[in-house]
Amino acid sequence: MNNVDLDGGGAKGNRKYSPVGAQDRAVLEMSSMDPDSSSDDSIRRVNVRTHASMDGRLHDNGGPRGPPSEHQLELFGFDSLVNILGLRSMTQEQISSPSCPRDNDVVSISKGDQSVKMGTMMGVFVPCLQSILGIIYYIRFSWIIGMAGVADSLLLVSLCGLCTFLTGLSLSAIATNGAMKGGGPYYLIGRALGPEVGVSIGLCFFLGNAIAGALYVLGAVETFLKALPSAGFFTETTTKVNDNVSKTIQIISTHDLQIYGLVVTIILCIIVFGGVKMINRVAPVFLVPVLISVVCIFFGIFLAKKNDPDHGITGLNIEVLKDNWDPQYQNTNSDGIPDPNGKVHWDFNALVGLFFPAVTGIMAGSNRSASLKDTQRSIPLGTLSATIVTTVLYLVSVFLFGAVATREKLLTDRVLTATIAWPLPVITRVGIILSTLGAALQSLTGAPRLLAAIANDDILPVLNYFRVADGSEPNMATLFTSIICMGCVVIGNLDLITPTVTMFFLLCYTGVNLSCFLLDLLDAPSWRPRWKFHHWLLSLFGALLCVVIMFLISWLFTIVSLALASLIYYYVSIKGKAGDWGDGFKSAYFQLALRSLRSLGANQVHPKNWYPIPLILCRPWGKLPENVPCHPKLADFANCMKKKGRGMSLFVNIMDGDYQELAEDAKEACKQLETYINYKNCESVAEIVVAPNMTDGFRGIVQTMGLGNLKPNIVVVRYPEIWRRENLKEIPGRFVGIINDCIVANKAVVIIKGLEEWPNEYQRQYGSIDLYWIVRDGGLMLLLSQLLLTKESFESCKIQVFCIAEEDSDAEVLKADVRKFLYDLRMQAEVIVITIKSWDSEGGSQQDESFEAFSAARKRVSSYLAEMKEKVEEQKVEKFLYTTLKLNTTILRYSRMAAVVLVSLPPPPLNHPAYCYMEYMDLLVGNIQRLVMVRGYRRDVVTLFT
């Protein structure tokens, strides 16, 4: 393409667009949070460099290159996509991020550092096939057919195959929904169900893989000792009784299994410690025998001798198939030999637990996601193909084994696959040994990397010993896996190990299915898997099928495995570090909140469903240290407005200034406020608003804060006791403005005086909660008093309701009406009626002090009005001063020992300056230790009806 002038002129007007060369350096610095990082300001720098030998000149239709250091699109603020994406496409580099980036990590990637990527066949299909076709098929499958019969064996294979196929569909959907990092199923489950579930199931899956290594080692050793009995150090025999005929059979000693198993495990661990290169060299040696042994077994079945009752191999015979069709569950000894007096009883459920490890291994491809060329194509095709092929192989093998040998032969010859193989049994025995050792090598290789991936996510501090750097071998995790494997080898009983492996694998499969079910059901915008053949009903059915199979095998093992996972989950939730991985539960909470919000509607909430949603102004008057985001007692008061902790409150602070200049300061202040709220165990939301001034900021808050019926309905602010002492002349206007704005916005107002004396949850109060109920407020003051009683600090108090009556009112009638009203509201309180006439009857020193306060306030108001040249009716000023003073005197007379006093808040009078209103309020609150002034809004918050 032709070069285009991108600049407008001036000194930079001659710069032209030019293609990016391979030798250009692109350094990206982004302040973005990685999905795996818990830090909000993680910075990742990726340095991309190429070989110096590469040609530095790339031409686009012969156009000359521009200066590499200039950024033609710097108008957009960042390096252009041409510099970022173009460089990657031209150099064919695959830039991958670390599995768990930390702050200020520098990851350098060069083309020479790339490893060889594998395709679908060698990367997924073959490992899955090798892991699935393991020891169970070779030395237990024919015995299972003899015990369960052909009919139940078909049902058994179909049930287990359906379970893994549905899990494969779920795995394919999740794996194709984005790039995968290390950890295999742990990574998928953790990112879908959260770190707690991911770590708990991931650790169980790690144990399953470690124990599976012992299973494969014992299978290989058992096959070896069957083929070469003279290699055993110990000789044991057992007697088989059949039709009153006793027959002595030589069995493998448990001690031989332990000795050879430990030796083999140590050899495999040495190979694993050698690293990936050594594993890749050894893996093909264990791969080829799998295919050769299967071919030899099928040749042997079709070429088997007929009518040879001595050895029990009849060749393919329909009569034998009919004889073996029905199950014959019976007791056996610990080695699986039929014995009427045996201690082990076999049924269908037990056989499910024994056979299920034969269908596991579908995760072998996902465990290699970092080594695949195209994970989103290889994992679905390779995993499902291996699942279908092996399931068909098992189903065909059921008919073939059921028709080729008698039931006695099936039950007594544990290595019938080698006995029947063509041309020589030893070929199949060697193939069995090598294939099982290959499966063991896969388990011992994958388990440490799984544990290292969990440790690298830095969720559990106790796993820090197993963390490894990128590209390093997980030696500590390998050592720990080896110890677990050796411990299981010492058990020496294959049939006892397999149910344990089965439970851990089924638990992992359940997690994968539940992850896909949740993601598919929620259908978030980010859920766009390339694999389209999935549905949440299939995933749910797969998860339920896994649970059913777990209980079919053993309800005791199921409860133990679930309890283990639950304990790990609880431990992670308590001791683990918080991390936001964008899991499905967060999406579920979000959608549930949206649906709940829509269901609430925009209409007024019924009084029975009304909850206080206080909006708490943290620093309306300033005069707090800069490092203190909020008054320390505001959270204690906010908790008192909730019943048993249920409810929501909003802590808001307003910063004066320009938003573009203070945006970062506002974010930092919001973090400090959130820390304070969490420290106080207050379920609240912190918000910082930047506005030109306090008034504009508050008006924006009361108009826009909240959604639908989840908008704040109460504004909580502490009384500005410092305004006169500090001579803060702007506070009266700000204080009156907040109250008037709340009245206009139809918000209730709660003003607290004496906040420093407010008790916390451990300071028990005695006495009374006194309410001076003067005006109708929708019952808000009564409701707040009941909420105070639900707190431990006020539960020992009683409520007293003081009603202020007019001089000519009938006090007894009013008292009876209030009592009836409180009874209908299910509130227990003592009612006291005070008439205005009784105010004038007070005398003594208290009246003299009140007169002095009245005179001083009237003098200050007169001086202010004269100075500001404002005209206010003097008679009304004196009336308001007198009313507030008398109310204060009454409160001090009746409620001096009260734990807290609640009184109706008088609204600011019209045409009275804010200074006058502050004088009225100072007379009202004077000398009262704890006072809460309440003004309701135009609706009821309590109801008489059920």
Side-chain angles (χ1 to χ4, degrees):
M1 74 180 188
N2 296 328
N3 295 333
V4 181
D5 188 359
L6 297 178
D7 294 311
K12 300 182 180 179
N14 296 326
R15 297 194 328 187
K16 306 291 183 178
Y17 172 81
S18 61
V20 181
Q23 74 274 24
D24 289 344
R25 297 169 58 91
V27 180
L28 311 178
E29 294 189 8
M30 302 181 186
S31 292
S32 61
M33 184 172 65
D34 186 87
D36 299 348
S37 177
S38 59
S39 175
D40 293 331
D41 53 354
S42 300
I43 300 178
R44 185 189 306 170
R45 297 186 179 93
V46 180
N47 299 333
V48 182
R49 58 182 184 269
T50 54
H51 290 295
S53 60
M54 294 182 62
D55 185 10
R57 295 181 178 273
L58 293 178
H59 300 277
D60 188 3
N61 291 339
R65 295 185 72 257
S69 61
E70 294 181 352
H71 299 285
Q72 307 292 343
L73 298 178
E74 62 179 319
L75 170 65
F76 293 91
F78 295 101
D79 286 341
S80 68
L81 290 180
V82 175
N83 288 346
I84 301 173
L85 301 181
L87 181 63
R88 293 178 59 182
S89 62
M90 291 178 184
T91 59
Q92 298 297 319
E93 292 189 1
Q94 300 288 335
I95 300 180
S96 59
S97 58
S99 60
C100 187
R102 300 289 181 265
D103 293 350
N104 301 323
D105 278 355
V106 178
V107 182
S108 299
I109 303 170
S110 63
K111 188 173 181 179
D113 295 335
Q114 293 185 12
S115 59
V116 178
K117 301 294 183 179
M118 294 180 290
T120 303
M121 178 61 69
M122 296 304 298
V124 180
F125 179 78
V126 171
C128 289
L129 190 67
Q130 185 179 7
S131 299
I132 295 174
L133 280 178
I135 188 62
I136 302 298
Y137 176 76
Y138 289 115
I139 67 175
R140 289 294 185 270
F141 193 54
S142 60
W143 183 89
I144 291 174
I145 297 172
M147 185 67 68
V150 175
D152 283 11
S153 297
L154 291 174
L155 177 61
L156 175 64
V157 173
S158 301
L159 182 67
C160 297
L162 179 62
C163 176
T164 55
F165 181 75
L166 293 177
T167 305
L169 290 178
S170 300
L171 174 67
S172 301
I174 304 176
T176 57
N177 192 48
M180 284 183 58
K181 298 179 182 178
Y186 154 73
Y187 181 86
L188 300 177
I189 296 173
R191 272 59 180 179
L193 300 181
E196 293 86 359
V197 179
V199 171
S200 58
I201 295 181
L203 288 178
C204 290
F205 189 60
F206 158 74
L207 291 176
N209 277 276
I211 298 173
L215 170 70
Y216 297 130
V217 168
L218 289 176
V221 172
E222 183 176 329
T223 305
F224 170 73
L225 293 177
K226 281 284 186 180
L228 195 61
S230 59
F233 299 102
F234 304 90
T235 303
E236 294 183 8
T237 59
T238 186
T239 303
K240 175 183 177 296
V241 180
N242 190 13
D243 297 333
N244 297 324
V245 178
S246 299
K247 183 179 180 181
T248 302
I249 301 175
Q250 183 176 351
I251 62 174
I252 300 173
S253 172
T254 303
H255 300 300
D256 289 335
L257 287 175
Q258 294 170 343
I259 294 173
Y260 281 100
L262 289 175
V263 173
V264 172
T265 304
I266 293 174
I267 295 174
L268 291 177
C269 291
I270 293 175
I271 297 174
V272 174
F273 273 111
V276 176
K277 293 183 178 179
M278 182 177 292
I279 295 173
N280 290 337
R281 292 193 186 103
V282 177
V285 178
F286 300 116
L287 175 62
V288 177
V290 176
L291 303 177
I292 296 178
S293 60
V294 171
V295 172
C296 292
I297 292 171
F298 276 89
F299 270 113
I301 291 175
F302 288 105
L303 300 177
K305 298 181 296 181
K306 296 183 179 181
N307 300 322
D308 191 353
D310 292 338
H311 296 88
I313 299 176
T314 62
L316 294 176
N317 191 322
I318 189 64
E319 296 299 328
V320 176
L321 180 64
K322 293 179 180 179
D323 293 339
N324 294 333
W325 186 263
D326 295 325
Q328 196 176 94
Y329 301 114
Q330 54 189 302
N331 293 341
T332 67
N333 58 20
S334 59
D335 296 302
I337 304 300
D339 185 358
N341 300 321
K343 297 182 180 180
V344 182
H345 178 72
W346 293 94
D347 54 15
F348 182 81
N349 297 350
L351 291 181
V352 172
L354 179 61
F355 173 73
F356 194 84
V359 297
T360 59
I362 60 175
M363 301 295 179
S366 62
N367 291 336
R368 297 168 172 246
S369 57
S371 302
L372 299 177
K373 293 179 181 178
D374 187 357
T375 57
Q376 300 190 20
R377 180 179 182 274
S378 298
I379 290 179
L381 294 180
T383 303
L384 293 176
S385 299
T387 303
I388 294 173
V389 169
T390 51
T391 302
V392 172
L393 174 64
Y394 288 145
L395 292 174
V396 173
S397 298
V398 170
F399 287 102
L400 295 180
F401 283 125
V404 79
T406 62
R407 190 182 297 272
E408 180 183 359
K409 186 66 175 178
L410 293 173
L411 291 174
T412 56
D413 192 350
R414 302 291 287 270
V415 286
L416 180 63
T417 52
T419 304
I420 205 171
W422 180 90
L424 294 174
V426 68
I427 297 177
T428 302
R429 291 181 186 272
V430 173
I432 293 174
I433 295 173
L434 292 179
S435 62
T436 51
L437 290 179
L441 184 64
Q442 294 288 343
S443 297
L444 294 177
T445 303
R449 281 155 178 78
L450 175 61
L451 182 61
I454 299 175
N456 283 346
D457 277 340
D458 201 18
I459 299 298
L460 276 182
V462 73
L463 298 179
N464 287 341
Y465 297 103
F466 306 112
R467 292 176 60 180
V468 294
D470 293 334
S472 302
E473 292 295 328
N475 293 326
M476 289 298 298
T478 303
L479 179 61
F480 183 65
T481 305
S482 304
I483 295 174
I484 296 177
C485 184
M486 290 179 185
C488 295
V489 167
V490 171
I491 297 176
N493 193 323
L494 200 63
D495 297 332
L496 292 179
I497 295 177
T498 48
T500 307
V501 177
T502 302
M503 289 300 171
F504 289 137
F505 277 100
L506 280 170
L507 193 62
C508 177
Y509 296 166
T510 304
V512 172
N513 282 301
L514 286 179
S515 301
C516 186
F517 161 72
L518 183 64
L519 295 174
D520 217 348
L521 184 65
L522 297 175
D523 199 17
S526 61
W527 177 246
R528 301 184 304 276
R530 294 183 182 274
W531 181 259
K532 302 301 181 183
F533 302 100
H534 62 90
H535 194 272
W536 64 267
L537 282 175
L538 293 177
S539 300
L540 179 61
F541 180 70
L544 294 177
L545 184 59
C546 291
V547 175
V548 169
I549 293 177
M550 292 176 70
F551 279 98
L552 282 178
I553 295 171
S554 172
W555 64 269
L556 181 60
F557 273 94
T558 301
I559 293 176
V560 170
S561 60
L562 292 176
L564 177 62
S566 300
L567 287 176
I568 298 175
Y569 177 91
Y570 180 75
Y571 180 77
V572 174
S573 61
I574 297 298
K575 298 292 185 179
K577 297 180 181 179
D580 187 4
W581 291 351
D583 54 86
F585 283 128
K586 298 293 177 63
S587 179
Y589 297 152
F590 181 76
Q591 292 199 20
L592 182 61
L594 290 181
R595 293 183 180 181
S596 301
L597 188 61
R598 288 196 298 266
S599 63
L600 285 176
N603 299 325
Q604 289 188 352
V605 179
H606 194 276
K608 290 191 295 184
N609 300 324
W610 188 88
Y611 282 84
I613 306 179
L615 188 152
I616 301 166
L617 291 179
C618 299
R619 300 167 57 101
W621 324 123
K623 294 303 177 181
L624 286 175
E626 291 298 328
N627 59 345
V628 178
C630 183
H631 194 286
K633 293 290 186 176
L634 272 177
D636 294 328
F637 182 80
N639 284 328
C640 290
M641 300 182 70
K642 302 175 184 178
K643 185 177 181 179
K644 297 180 180 179
R646 291 190 293 265
M648 183 182 71
S649 56
L650 291 89
F651 283 72
V652 179
N653 194 8
I654 301 173
M655 299 180 63
D656 295 343
D658 183 75
Y659 175 70
Q660 294 184 358
E661 296 178 357
L662 299 178
E664 294 300 324
D665 294 339
K667 293 179 181 178
E668 187 64 29
C670 189
K671 291 180 183 179
Q672 295 179 2
L673 187 55
E674 288 176 350
T675 303
Y676 161 78
I677 294 173
N678 294 331
Y679 171 75
K680 285 291 188 176
N681 294 322
C682 185
E683 295 184 359
S684 306
V685 178
E687 291 290 345
I688 302 295
V689 176
V690 180
N693 51 66
M694 175 72 183
T695 301
D696 292 344
F698 181 75
R699 288 176 177 174
I701 289 172
V702 295
Q703 293 181 76
T704 60
M705 188 72 72
L707 293 172
N709 272 320
L710 285 182
K711 291 183 177 180
N713 46 32
I714 302 176
V715 175
V716 179
V717 61
R718 60 188 175 95
Y719 185 76
E721 302 175 53
I722 62 173
W723 78 278
R724 191 187 306 279
R725 182 175 69 250
E726 301 290 341
N727 195 25
L728 301 176
K729 298 181 180 180
E730 74 278 2
I731 284 185
R734 187 182 300 177
F735 181 72
V736 172
I738 289 176
I739 297 176
N740 286 331
D741 290 340
C742 291
I743 295 174
V744 172
N746 195 24
K747 307 286 186 185
V749 185
V750 173
I751 299 175
I752 317 161
K753 190 261 182 182
L755 189 61
E756 290 78 4
E757 304 296 329
W758 194 265
N760 59 33
E761 56 182 334
Y762 305 108
Q763 295 174 330
R764 185 174 294 272
Q765 302 297 305
Y766 299 93
S768 62
I769 300 175
D770 292 353
L771 280 65
Y772 286 81
W773 196 15
I774 301 175
V775 297
R776 180 177 180 272
D777 60 358
L780 179 60
M781 187 187 302
L782 297 174
L783 183 61
L784 290 179
S785 66
Q786 294 297 315
L787 292 177
L788 288 176
L789 286 181
T790 63
K791 303 302 174 183
E792 293 184 4
S793 53
F794 291 100
E795 63 182 2
S796 300
C797 299
K798 64 177 183 178
I799 296 179
Q800 295 184 143
V801 178
F802 294 84
C803 298
I804 309 299
E806 296 291 340
E807 186 175 358
D808 55 351
S809 298
D810 189 344
E812 293 300 325
V813 174
L814 177 61
K815 185 175 183 179
D817 291 342
V818 174
R819 280 181 175 176
K820 178 64 169 58
F821 179 73
L822 295 178
Y823 176 80
D824 292 337
L825 288 177
R826 293 87 63 201
M827 295 182 180
Q828 294 183 354
E830 181 182 356
V831 180
I832 302 173
V833 178
I834 302 174
T835 61
I836 296 179
K837 184 178 180 181
S838 64
W839 290 0
D840 297 327
S841 62
E842 299 174 359
S845 60
Q846 184 176 2
Q847 186 175 12
D848 295 337
E849 294 176 2
S850 301
F851 180 77
E852 292 177 3
F854 175 81
S855 300
R858 183 174 57 181
K859 183 177 180 180
R860 288 192 298 269
V861 170
S862 299
S863 299
Y864 175 81
L865 295 177
E867 179 182 354
M868 303 304 295
K869 299 181 180 181
E870 294 190 24
K871 295 182 179 181
V872 180
E873 190 175 346
E874 184 177 353
Q875 184 178 1
K876 282 192 174 183
V877 172
E878 292 186 358
K879 178 181 179 182
F880 291 153
L881 289 173
Y882 177 79
T883 302
T884 54
L885 176 62
K886 285 300 181 181
L887 181 57
N888 174 263
T889 304
T890 303
I891 294 173
L892 292 176
R893 178 182 178 186
Y894 292 99
S895 305
R896 186 178 291 273
M897 302 304 294
V900 62
V901 177
L902 283 77
V903 64
S904 298
L905 173 69
L910 295 176
N911 302 321
H912 282 232
Y915 181 88
C916 296
Y917 184 72
M918 290 302 299
E919 290 287 351
Y920 307 154
M921 297 303 297
D922 276 356
L923 288 180
L924 176 62
V925 304
N927 299 321
I928 302 177
Q929 184 180 14
R930 298 192 195 112
L931 180 66
V932 178
M933 292 173 281
V934 181
R935 179 168 183 82
Y937 57 111
R938 297 184 294 272
R939 60 158 306 158
D940 294 331
V941 298
V942 294
T943 179
L944 302 176
F945 305 100
T946 182

